[in-house]
Structures are given as C-alpha cells and as structure tokens.
Amino acid sequence: MFLLTCGLHVKMKGLAFLTAFLWCSSAAQDGPIRAFVVPHSHMDVGWVYTVQESMHAYAANVYSSVTEELSRDARRRFIAVEQEFFRLWWETAATDTHQRQVRQLVKEGRLEFVLGGQVMHDEAVTDLDDQILQLTEGHGFLYETFGVRPRFSWHVDPFGASATTPVLFALAGFHAHLISRVDYDLKDSLQRDKAGLQFVWRGSPSLRDQQQEIFTHVMDQFSYCSPSHLAFSNSSGFYWNGVVVFPDPPADGVYPNMSLPVTEATVQAYAQTMVDNIKLRGAWFRTDHVLWPWGCDKQFYNASVQFSNMDPLMDYINHHSQELGVTVQYATLREYFHAVHQSGLSWDVRGNEDFLPYSTEPNQAWTGFYASRNVLKGLARGASSLLRAAEALFVRYRVSLPDGPVANDWALARLRALRWAVSEVQHHDGITGTEAPRVEQMYQQHLHQAARGVEEVVAALLPLPHRGPGPATEQHVIVYNPLAWNITTVVNVTVTFPMATVFDDEGRPVAAQIQRSAQPALTYDLFVVVTLGGLQHRKYLLRLSRTPCGPGSSCGATYAPAGVRFEARGPGPAQETGRRLLPVLNDCHTLMFDQDTNLLHSITDRLGNRTVLVSQEFWEYRANGDVGAGPISDNYVFTAVAPAVRAHRAVRMEILPGRVVTEVRQTFYRWGARTLALQRYSLGPLELNTEVVLRTATALRTNRTLVTDGNGYQMMRREHRDFPNNTVARNFYPMVRAAYIEDDRSRLVLLSERAHGVSSQASGQLEVMLHRRLWNNLPWNRDYNLTLNDSSLVQPVLWLALSSLAASPRLHQRGAVELQNRPLVVASGGGVPVRPVVLPPNLHLLSLSIPGWNYSSQHACHLLHLDSGLRPQPDYERVLMRIMHLFEEGEDPEFSKPVSVDLKEVLLGVGEVRAVEERSLTGTWDVQELDRWTWNTHPGSADEGPCGPPLEGFNVTIAPKEIRTFFVHFRTSGL
C-alpha cells in the first residue's frame, strides 16, 4: 500500500502552547501495520494543581478505575509512570481488593510500571544526584512491593532531552528509552528521514558502549497524546471520559467535552480517523510496528467509559483489517519494544549529543525556565545537599551505635520525608519554575518541613557533651565535611556580636575573620578556617565579645578588616577607564578593579602567569507582555525582542581586605543588586517584564563557543548557531553546576550551586540569566496564573576562576562538587572524633545511605517472600553506596586514569566491612544478573569489553565517568 498524507501538526504542553506547521510525508507499506495501543494517563506531580488537589479531583480515580477495568478483560493494558501518585493511592485509597488485583495484573504483565521514578524528572535543570535519588525512591518501592524492576522509560514531557538521562537509565537496567520533546524543526527532519526517530544512544564519550547504550524512540509530532480532532464531532477524539473538573469531580459523573460514544453510527468514522493516524505515524518509522499512545494529560479517571468505547472500536478495525491495512492491540511498552527488537534491524548510533535547547516554533524557545523561580531552584538544591550529608551521618551512627539513643525508625522517617520532597520537586513542572504560584508554595512547604525534620536528626546524631549551661558569650558549633576528601576551607558563621575568637576541639586558636554583614540585619560574618578529613566533623568553640577589635587589627587569631568605600560611579567612555586600577589578591588570582567605574577590569592567573581583561556587569532583557504586539516571554519561554541593555546607572564599591577572605561589595544602582566577593549575589525585586543576566566579558577569543555541564555529570560543547528568528534565546543552555569559555591558553570557569540559563552572545562573553519577573496577557497564562510575576529577592552563589587549560579540569570538576556540598555547620553539637573516610581525588562518594527498603539481594528469594504476604520492616543493616569517577577519558593526564580502591580499607572510618555486593544504579539488580537487550548498530557493533571491571573481594577499579553502586554490610555489635 502506498500512502500519501498531508495535514496540520499541533504540539502542546498539556492542552496549550499550540504550534502549527504543515507536513507532507509518503511511505510504502508492504502489509498490515501492527498498531500497539498503549493506554496511559499523564499526571503532573504539580504544575497547575497541587498534589492534594489532583489526588482528590482525578488521580486516585485513575488507579481505582483502571485496576477494576483491567481485571474485567484480559485484553486490556495500562502503563503507570510516576510513582508519587501511585504510592499515595496505594497507601491511602486502594482497597484490599484493589491491592490484590494490582498484584495479579503486575504478575500478568498487563499493568506495567515504566520509568518508575517518583516523578518524570526534568532533564535540563536537575542535578545528577537528584535524578538518581528520585529514580531510586520509586524503584525501591516497586521492587519491595511487587518484585518488579522497570525496564523502559517514558520521558514524554520534559522540555528537551539530556545526554545524561539515557546513561543513567542504562545503568538502572532499562532496555529502551522513550522521549518526545525535541526541537520542532529537528523533529520534522527526523520524520522525513524515516530512520531518524529511532536510534541507539551512547550519551557518554567515556563509558564503554555496553555499559551505557540504549535504544531510543523519539515520539512523532503527535507526541504522547491521542489525536484530539474529529472531523465528525466538536468533542475531542478518543477521550470519552471528557476533561477533568477541579476541585471536585461532578456528582453525576458527566464531564465536559466527553467524546461521542462508539456506536453503529459512529464506529466507521472513528475507525477511519484512527487508522489514518496510525498509517501517518507508520510512515515515519522503519518497522511495521506503530506505537499509538492512547491518553493525554489527566485521562482515565473513568476507565470504564474509556475501555467500553475503545473495545468495540478496536474490534471493528481488526474485523476489517484486510481492507483497512491495520491491526490493533492493547499493549504495554514491553510488548511494543519487544516487537521492534525482534525485527533484527540495525540502527544508527547517536553519540554524546543532547536535544537541548528545545523550541516549539521559531519564536518559542523554551530556555526561560532555566532561570525561572530561582528561589525554588536554590531551595531544592540546598535541601538535597542537607539530605546527602545527613544520610552519611546516619550511616556512621547506625554502624557504630546500632542500639544508640537515636531511634532508627524516627530518623529514617525524617530522612524519607526529605527524600520524598526532594524527589517531588524534580518533576518537569517543579524545579523548572513553570508551575502556578500555589504549587510552588506546595513544593517549598514540603521542602521546608522535611528539611526541619532532617535538621533535628542531624542535631540528635551530633549531641552536645553532657554539661551545665555555659555562658551566653560562648557558642559551640560542629562543622561536618560531607565529602570523602580531606579539605581545608572557610565556613561562615553568622553571629550577633562584633567580636569572636575561635578554638578547635583541642583548645588551639583557629584563624578567623569577623566583619559587618552585608545583609540589612545587625549581624556579623565570622569566617573560620577549618581543616577536616572526609566525612569527618569537628567541634569549635566561639568566644563572643561585645567589644569590637579595632578595624584592620587582630584580636588573638581573629582579624577584623578595615573596609574601604568608593563613591558611586557611572559607566564612562572606554578611553577614560583603566587608568586607576586597584589590585585584590589571593594565592591564585589578582583581580584589578577600575576606580573610575567600580567594576572589575582584569584577572591575572598567577599560576599560569597570564592577565585577561574581564568585566562583570548586570544587563537585562526587556520582555514584551502583549501578545498582540509580538512574541512574549513566560515561565517556559524566553524571547529576546531587543538586545540586552545595561541594568544599572552607577556602581558603589566597598573592599574589605582580609587575612582569611577579601570581600568586594558592589551595589548596582537602579534596582539594588549586590555582588559579594564575586560569589554571592542579591537581586530583586525586579521591575516587571525584566530578565536579568550577569554578563562576564573577556578578551578571550572563543568564537561564541561555550561549554556547559549536563546535569553535573559531563561537559557539553555548545557552538553558537544562527537562526532566522530568535537567535539570542535559542543559544541559551542550562547550567546546573558549571560553564566555561576558553581560548588556546586559558579557561574562564563559572561554578553554580543552582541551575541558571547561560549563553555566549559574543566572543569572549559568558552570560548567566539569574532572575526573571514577567507578566503577559496570553489568556492561557492568565487563566492558570503562569505569567511568572516573581517579585522575590534571590541570592545565588557563583564561583569564578581563570586558569590554564591544563589546570582547569581539576579545578572545575572538584570545585563544582565542593560548591554543591559545602561543610554543614550545626549551631550546637559535640561527639567524639572519628576516623576520616578518604577517596582518591578523582573519585567522588556520590551517596552513602540506609535506604530502608527490605528485599532479598537474591531475586528468587525476594519473590518467595512476597508470596508469603508479610509486610516488610525497614532494613537498617544494608548500606547503599555509590562512587563516581569525576573525570572524562583523556581530560587530565593523571586524574583521567582508572583508579583502584580497597572498599574495606576506605570505609574503615565508618566501620568494619564484612560484605560488599555490586548492584545496578538504583540497587534493585545484582549486576551479574542484569541482562539488557543488545541492539544491532551500524556502522559496526558495540565494543565487546566488560561493563566495568568486576568486584574482586573488596577491590574495585573505577574507570572515567563510571558510577558504581554497592550494597555494603558492616559488622556491628551482635554480628
């Protein structure tokens, strides 16, 4: 059969962001197309409605009604994706009958869990740590509860696709990966290519092919929704249960926009519509197997009406399959991908490339969300860092004091609450900042509440020695290093006294510096030099005094700098700058500030002996808010309708030259932004329809090329591209941890503790979008309150460094991890000294935790336990540990080498290791039993090498960019 089709393409987020363009395609079909109808419901964990509102309005009904309807007919199927809603339903709403039915459906493979994470995480602005956390939380629940381990992804709605995600999914044991949102013009070309929408993806340039490669399916232009247009009806097509109603389901069960029932009068029209769409989709793929997703946002809350209409429609098509040229069947993802795998075709290979940024049309570049809701982005990352530190503390406590006074269940419950909150906000309409304000408030509330609980755990794990109350002018603090490296660094303790001296746990004076805080409150910043071993904490005594030390003098080991203030200066003509320069030095750099502008003028790399002209200023893009006047910016989209303009008229500067730190404070006058020591920034509230960037301009010749990190895992080269429209916005990329520009000698690096958008709009320039405040009159945005009128004050942290090309990798790879995991300062605490845990400098202890999931490491034994029906109790003996090699292959002559470690020796600081098991990324597979499908590729096949050297006793060799996961069992009292 020869098929020629033309029509209109519509792409949307849910039911909005309509984008249209014309397509025409042709394809030859040799026989009937086999369509796999995959029922699903896309359920956002947030976005416009809170989790609680969604559970009440529809989400609970999805699982109840689907479970009941699948149990009535063995032909029916359904895929369940995000685990947050399912777990809430399972634990709070599912009846005993529902639970029995679900277990049976899972055993039969008719209810399939795909992806299996707590949420469908965003791929642009999420950090590697948090992606793994939310995936592990969902997989742990599924394996403990049902003995199943997801093998397929369903990443249909994140706004662009990262090259990190397929690597992680492969390490978790997935056979295949499914994505949807890629650039509109790229998707069009992939469809015309016919072979372009399916390929084998190798996202890392360092890992062995067999470790990381994964078959990837890009959904066609109809994305994850069924066709919504019916030529014979005004209602949406194939959505017989209509459109969900908030806040309460209608009492009579009648929903708006319910499709016409399938009857003798309508079945032929429905069948022709469905068959035409299947054939159209089939023209874009190489096999005669077509994935036909049946569902969309918030569907299947009445599965009875859905299946009772689709059943006869599918029967009709199959009965007339010869004349229609199509057969249809309900299917899970496993059934579809198995059919594709069995085709035996060879597939093209996609290497270390991602699908970022993402645009839906020429003037809709979804690059704005890289910087939307900066406060939420910072809160989420801070909560994640706190969780990581507390998890390792709990492991150490539990191993050394298994019967100690801190109750295991009390501590684990609080850790689990923060795991849930951090996982939840990774949703693709969460940390992205694309949600409604009340949903942002929900995320923040969950994070704050759970973080307070974990802070209580930390305080309990680091108790004060028993003693009477000390004087009010004495304060004890514990400083904990959450990294498995020895560090010497500076921590900042906020105090209300103008003077303090500091002593370590042996009573020795500690170098410190105290100065008036830049914050409006009457507080002081006490900078303390601390030296800590890996995973080690130390106690410090602060003796406070109301008698200040004279400016520029020392009181004991504490120095009080004398600040020097410079009056406000405006930007002057270029010929009048650079004449009066003031140096600010540390061991690595000399920064020259121009007294005629109060701006940075140049940086000298003292180790590399090179000086580069460098300036830093705030600029802003003025957004259009009237849809009638042209393209707009909103939560998702950034549209530069005009070049950026300087965002200040004058700059005031104050320098506090110190012996521990030298702080440079700049106040940019017009809307009051400050930069502190070129690291800490305070911006806002912004004027309406303003998008603020920090522009770092240098003399480096970079050809507008920059390098950004992909989720904190790997660095991605970004060459500037020109487009007929919207070139500025389409050249912004996500920066989660790091970005840099370089020439043939030097590299300028920016490190960040939260996600931002970053671009290079001119040679030698690095532009970081820090904050956005927007309003527009697009009805859809106004109806759902998605205009991003964010009036908050944001305080992101950036670290800036200039170095040689040779020295830079060690600087930015370790520096990015150190910025994400700064020492934890506990206002009170004590305890006894502990032995450090130290890894080689190119390895990073990614996680050390007690998950609490209770399942046997032997799969067959676990299934037997499940059949017994006993409710599992938390397992406090099993420790989950991940170690990551930070460096790419060939990135550094020494640090890029494989490194061998003796896990028993390394972990002596925690306790005596009695057994180690190597596991898959989320811990649910023994790596020796993990068998993933092999896909034929051309040209050539995947390498034949092993998937990482196997564990031999307690010795393991970790190669560049590997993430190795282990269950560690320690010897405790009574064992």
Side-chain angles (χ1 to χ4, degrees):
M1 182 186 302
F2 184 83
L3 176 68
L4 175 65
T5 53
C6 295
L8 181 68
H9 162 58
V10 177
K11 177 170 282 186
M12 61 189 75
K13 161 61 191 171
L15 300 176
F17 283 110
L18 299 183
T19 305
F21 60 86
L22 292 175
W23 45 253
C24 290
S25 65
S26 61
Q29 301 293 344
D30 297 329
I33 296 174
R34 185 182 178 193
F36 293 77
V37 177
V38 179
H40 75 98
S41 180
H42 184 71
M43 299 189 284
D44 286 301
V45 183
W47 189 34
V48 175
Y49 301 101
T50 67
V51 170
Q52 294 77 14
E53 290 170 333
S54 294
M55 279 294 292
H56 175 69
Y58 80 95
N61 287 338
V62 169
Y63 291 115
S64 295
S65 65
V66 164
T67 298
E68 293 162 5
E69 291 307 311
L70 263 60
S71 299
R72 289 191 173 101
D73 191 326
R75 295 176 301 169
R76 295 170 177 174
R77 305 285 191 272
F78 194 82
I79 61 169
V81 187
E82 303 89 349
Q83 287 306 298
E84 176 152 337
F85 283 129
F86 180 83
R87 289 177 68 178
L88 288 171
W89 173 78
W90 182 261
E91 294 167 5
T92 65
T95 64
D96 291 343
T97 299
H98 284 144
Q99 292 194 355
R100 286 194 301 271
Q101 289 173 328
V102 166
R103 292 186 188 279
Q104 184 61 36
L105 292 169
V106 170
K107 282 184 179 180
E108 295 172 2
R110 297 199 291 118
L111 174 61
E112 181 181 36
F113 294 104
V114 298
L115 183 60
Q118 280 289 96
V119 298
M120 187 186 297
H121 71 253
D122 170 68
E123 297 194 37
V125 299
T126 46
D127 189 272
L128 171 81
D129 294 351
D130 304 325
Q131 291 182 2
I132 295 173
L133 170 70
Q134 72 86 22
L135 202 62
T136 302
E137 283 300 286
H139 285 197
F141 164 76
L142 288 174
Y143 191 54
E144 180 187 78
T145 309
F146 304 108
V148 296
R149 297 164 287 199
R151 305 305 297 268
F152 306 95
S153 91
W154 181 264
H155 249 224
V156 296
D157 206 28
F159 319 134
S162 163
T164 300
T165 304
V167 173
L168 298 185
F169 287 171
L171 295 178
F174 286 14
H175 290 310
H177 178 38
L178 188 148
I179 62 176
S180 181
R181 291 189 179 271
V182 303
D183 253 358
Y184 72 98
D185 46 3
L186 174 60
K187 180 170 284 192
D188 191 33
S189 67
L190 293 176
Q191 289 179 169
R192 288 196 303 267
D193 181 46
K194 191 174 176 69
L197 292 174
Q198 293 178 320
F199 49 84
V200 171
W201 201 350
R202 298 171 184 163
S204 166
S206 296
L207 295 181
R208 293 179 180 273
D209 295 344
Q210 286 186 342
Q211 284 177 285
Q212 59 152 329
E213 70 176 18
I214 190 168
F215 182 79
T216 302
H217 174 106
V218 183
M219 286 193 141
D220 56 51
Q221 63 189 34
F222 294 97
S223 191
Y224 59 85
C225 293
S226 315
S228 59
H229 174 69
L230 295 176
F232 57 91
S233 170
N234 292 326
S235 299
S236 295
F238 307 98
Y239 304 134
W240 291 283
N241 56 195
V243 177
V244 72
V245 175
F246 285 84
D248 301 310
D252 59 3
V254 178
Y255 286 80
N257 206 34
M258 297 178 75
S259 298
L260 292 174
V262 174
T263 64
E264 288 187 7
T266 62
V267 67
Q268 185 175 359
Y270 266 117
Q272 196 61 55
T273 301
M274 186 173 179
V275 165
D276 287 348
N277 185 258
I278 290 169
K279 289 179 178 179
L280 174 60
R281 285 174 149 163
W284 297 321
F285 294 92
R286 294 176 61 200
T287 74
D288 59 0
H289 310 304
V290 173
L291 172 62
W292 201 81
W294 177 33
C296 199
D297 290 43
K298 308 177 188 68
Q299 285 294 308
F300 280 88
Y301 48 86
N302 186 343
S304 175
V305 70
Q306 289 283 84
F307 282 112
S308 65
N309 281 278
M310 183 58 88
D311 287 351
L313 173 57
M314 291 175 60
D315 289 342
Y316 179 90
I317 293 173
N318 286 332
H319 186 70
H320 296 85
S321 61
Q322 279 196 320
E323 59 194 85
L324 294 174
V326 168
T327 65
V328 292
Q329 66 184 81
Y330 291 124
T332 61
L333 276 192
R334 172 179 289 276
E335 290 169 307
Y336 169 71
F337 279 119
H338 182 263
V340 174
H341 184 252
Q342 291 297 107
S343 70
L345 295 176
S346 291
W347 305 95
D348 289 339
V349 173
R350 185 178 183 88
N352 176 229
E353 307 164 73
D354 59 17
F355 293 94
L356 293 166
Y358 163 64
S359 296
T360 49
E361 63 178 54
N363 286 309
Q364 286 199 348
W366 292 39
T367 57
F369 77 88
Y370 301 160
S372 294
R373 302 202 188 281
N374 186 276
V375 170
L376 179 63
K377 286 177 167 64
L379 176 62
R381 287 301 300 135
S384 174
S385 298
L386 170 64
L387 174 63
R388 184 185 174 281
E391 297 272 25
L393 274 173
F394 183 52
V395 168
R396 173 163 255 160
Y397 182 91
R398 179 68 184 75
V399 171
S400 60
L401 293 171
D403 299 314
V406 178
N408 292 329
D409 55 351
W410 175 84
L412 183 61
R414 281 153 180 77
L415 291 170
R416 280 179 161 173
L418 190 52
R419 292 174 195 167
W420 185 291
V422 171
S423 296
E424 176 185 75
V425 78
Q426 306 311 314
H427 173 63
H428 57 270
D429 275 305
I431 198 169
T432 52
T434 53
E435 66 277 354
R438 72 173 184 275
V439 178
E440 181 198 19
Q441 293 166 8
M442 176 201 74
Y443 291 133
Q444 290 206 24
Q445 180 185 16
H446 292 176
L447 288 165
H448 280 302
Q449 288 179 344
R452 283 195 293 270
V454 168
E455 288 168 352
E456 293 174 0
V457 172
V458 171
L461 298 177
L462 297 172
L464 267 173
H466 183 68
R467 64 174 74 179
T473 54
E474 285 192 359
Q475 180 180 343
H476 291 272
V477 298
I478 287 289
V479 182
Y480 171 66
N481 172 21
L483 297 171
W485 299 327
N486 296 329
I487 62 169
T488 296
T489 189
V490 176
V491 298
N492 183 5
V493 182
T494 300
V495 296
T496 56
F497 289 75
M499 186 56 205
T501 51
V502 184
F503 302 88
D504 66 15
D505 47 10
E506 296 182 4
R508 295 173 298 194
V510 175
Q513 177 177 316
I514 193 166
Q515 60 202 44
R516 173 184 50 82
S517 172
Q519 304 304 319
L522 296 177
T523 58
Y524 298 85
D525 292 328
L526 178 63
F527 296 101
V528 183
V529 179
V530 297
T531 299
L532 296 162
L535 301 189
Q536 193 176 54
H537 61 268
R538 295 188 68 179
K539 179 180 68 175
Y540 293 87
L541 171 64
L542 315 182
R543 287 186 177 154
L544 309 171
S545 172
R546 298 200 180 276
T547 303
C549 199
S553 61
S554 298
C555 293
T558 301
Y559 180 73
V564 181
R565 297 184 178 182
F566 299 82
E567 65 181 25
R569 298 278 187 178
Q575 63 270 21
E576 296 180 9
T577 62
R579 299 175 302 176
R580 298 190 302 146
L581 301 179
L582 187 68
V584 175
L585 298 83
N586 65 15
D587 292 339
C588 301
H589 300 98
T590 298
L591 279 65
M592 303 298 288
F593 286 85
D594 191 332
Q595 296 181 65
D596 291 316
T597 62
N598 290 335
L599 295 172
L600 180 64
H601 173 271
S602 63
I603 300 177
T604 298
D605 171 16
R606 299 179 67 181
L607 301 178
N609 194 29
R610 186 189 184 190
T611 298
V612 176
L613 294 178
V614 180
S615 66
Q616 276 195 326
E617 297 182 80
F618 290 103
W619 291 66
E620 65 184 15
Y621 292 94
R622 306 272 175 82
N624 168 48
D626 182 4
V627 294
I632 62 169
S633 288
D634 63 11
N635 287 28
Y636 303 89
V637 172
F638 167 47
T639 305
V641 295
V645 296
R646 185 174 277 109
H648 59 90
R649 295 181 179 176
V651 182
R652 185 186 297 276
M653 181 169 65
E654 180 182 10
I655 299 178
L656 292 88
R659 296 177 181 173
V660 174
V661 299
T662 292
E663 188 169 8
V664 179
R665 297 174 178 174
Q666 294 167 300
T667 304
F668 290 74
Y669 284 94
R670 190 171 74 80
W671 36 258
R674 291 194 183 100
T675 78
L676 309 181
L678 294 179
Q679 292 182 11
R680 293 180 293 173
Y681 299 82
S682 178
L683 295 90
L686 303 183
E687 292 184 349
L688 205 57
N689 285 334
T690 300
E691 300 170 273
V692 176
V693 298
L694 176 70
R695 178 177 290 178
T696 303
T698 77
L700 299 178
R701 296 181 177 180
T702 64
N703 195 32
R704 296 188 294 179
T705 296
L706 77 156
V707 179
T708 68
D709 73 305
N711 311 107
Y713 176 66
Q714 57 190 344
M715 303 304 293
M716 309 292 295
R717 183 177 178 85
R718 313 293 193 182
E719 295 184 356
H720 191 276
R721 298 181 297 166
D722 291 317
F723 299 93
N725 303 93
N726 215 17
T727 292
V728 170
R730 294 186 75 175
N731 278 284
F732 266 81
Y733 295 89
M735 176 181 73
V736 177
R737 292 189 186 178
Y740 63 77
I741 54 175
E742 64 184 10
D743 62 11
D744 57 353
R745 290 182 57 196
S746 300
R747 180 178 292 170
L748 184 96
V749 180
L750 278 175
L751 304 178
S752 176
E753 39 68 88
R754 69 188 71 179
H756 303 286
V758 64
S759 184
S760 181
Q761 299 292 338
S763 184
Q765 193 179 97
L766 197 58
E767 194 168 280
V768 181
M769 186 173 288
L770 299 175
H771 197 11
R772 316 173 74 220
R773 184 182 183 186
L774 303 165
W775 182 91
N776 64 73
N777 59 6
L778 184 68
W780 185 81
N781 278 339
R782 287 185 304 171
D783 292 346
Y784 289 108
N785 198 7
L786 294 173
T787 57
L788 197 65
N789 188 3
D790 182 357
S791 60
S792 62
L793 177 74
V794 304
Q795 297 178 311
V797 174
L798 294 174
W799 287 358
L800 171 70
L802 177 73
S803 67
S804 67
L805 297 183
S808 179
R810 301 186 185 192
L811 174 74
H812 80 256
Q813 292 286 18
R814 286 172 56 93
V817 174
E818 290 172 355
L819 179 55
Q820 296 288 324
N821 298 278
R822 286 165 287 179
L824 186 64
V825 179
V826 182
S828 62
V832 297
V834 295
R835 180 172 174 171
V837 175
V838 182
L839 285 172
N842 50 358
L843 297 185
H844 169 45
L845 184 64
L846 202 62
S847 53
L848 187 70
S849 66
I850 296 175
W853 301 117
N854 192 330
Y855 50 78
S856 172
S857 297
Q858 299 179 15
H859 183 61
C861 293
H862 178 53
L863 295 182
L864 288 174
H865 180 79
L866 283 176
D867 289 339
S868 71
L870 297 175
R871 184 176 180 85
Q873 296 301 310
D875 182 349
Y876 295 101
E877 305 300 325
R878 177 188 290 146
V879 172
L880 175 67
M881 179 178 71
R882 295 187 187 92
I883 299 177
M884 173 182 170
H885 197 300
L886 286 178
F887 289 78
E888 296 281 3
E889 194 172 68
E891 185 178 14
D892 184 275
E894 290 299 323
F895 282 18
S896 289
K897 294 178 179 178
V899 57
S900 298
V901 291
D902 183 327
L903 298 180
K904 188 169 187 176
E905 178 66 27
V906 164
L907 294 171
L908 270 178
V910 176
E912 182 184 354
V913 176
R914 61 181 178 85
V916 176
E917 312 166 57
E918 185 162 8
R919 308 292 293 185
S920 61
L921 183 70
T922 59
T924 56
W925 285 93
D926 181 329
V927 293
Q928 301 304 316
E929 299 175 357
L930 178 56
D931 183 24
R932 296 195 307 120
W933 291 347
T934 299
W935 298 83
N936 299 326
T937 59
H938 57 74
S941 299
D943 60 55
E944 298 294 330
C947 297
L951 182 68
E952 296 181 0
F954 298 105
N955 292 296
V956 60
T957 299
I958 302 177
K961 282 300 168 187
E962 281 192 332
I963 300 173
R964 305 288 286 275
T965 303
F966 307 94
F967 284 161
V968 183
H969 302 271
F970 291 91
R971 193 174 304 281
T972 58
S973 59
L975 292 179

